[in-house]
Amino acid sequence: MSDIRPVTPDFAVAPQLAPSDMAEAASQGFKLVINNRPDGEAPGQPTSLQMEEAARAAGMDYVHIPVVGGPTPDQVEQNRVAVEGANGPVLAFCRSGTRSIVTWSIGERLAGGSRDELVEQGAAAGYDLSGVLPG
């Protein structure tokens, strides 16, 4: 399985996942998969439909919020609502995990989360969020 990077006890990010990874993600306790990667971004990349079918077959919920470049305010809000409404731990992915953690962290910050804590959580997961979070 891909490099799953825990950010909080209930949220993790990963680089591109495969449909075959979904059963293992479910066995690790994830309840929702968020795909932040647009379809067709790279040759051979699984489609959102393939990922959704595999996630649901493994008993997880699935949301596709494709982000190109930086997330829009609407994408941040969709992501925040999906995470907030999840029935348990969330696994979000994109090509490298960066768009997923950036989208999540902006939503957390706008909802009142501590910028310093979010930057620390990002760093612990291997991502530098210092330049993307509002002060």
Side-chain angles (χ1 to χ4, degrees):
M1 177 125 139
S2 270
D3 175 22
I4 293 179
R5 300 177 184 191
V7 180
T8 73
D10 292 319
F11 184 78
V13 297
Q16 179 66 57
L17 298 171
S20 60
D21 294 326
M22 294 298 96
E24 183 166 337
S27 76
Q28 291 183 24
F30 291 103
K31 301 298 183 190
L32 170 65
V33 174
I34 299 176
N35 178 356
N36 292 125
R37 193 164 191 198
D39 278 347
E41 191 173 57
Q45 165 192 340
T47 66
S48 177
L49 180 58
Q50 290 170 317
M51 296 303 296
E52 180 175 11
E53 288 172 348
R56 294 197 187 281
M60 296 182 292
D61 291 326
Y62 177 90
V63 178
H64 187 213
I65 305 169
V67 174
V68 176
T72 66
D74 185 52
Q75 291 165 333
V76 168
E77 180 65 9
Q78 287 176 46
N79 205 79
R80 191 191 64 72
V81 167
V83 170
E84 190 175 280
N87 292 322
V90 176
L91 175 58
F93 76 92
C94 58
R95 187 190 63 76
S96 68
T98 301
R99 283 174 280 186
S100 294
I101 196 168
V102 166
T103 303
W104 170 82
S105 66
I106 292 171
E108 290 294 299
R109 179 68 181 126
L110 293 174
S114 161
R115 181 186 185 279
D116 291 342
E117 185 176 325
L118 290 164
V119 169
E120 287 175 21
Q121 289 170 323
Y127 300 94
D128 181 2
L129 299 175
S130 62
V132 297
L133 290 174

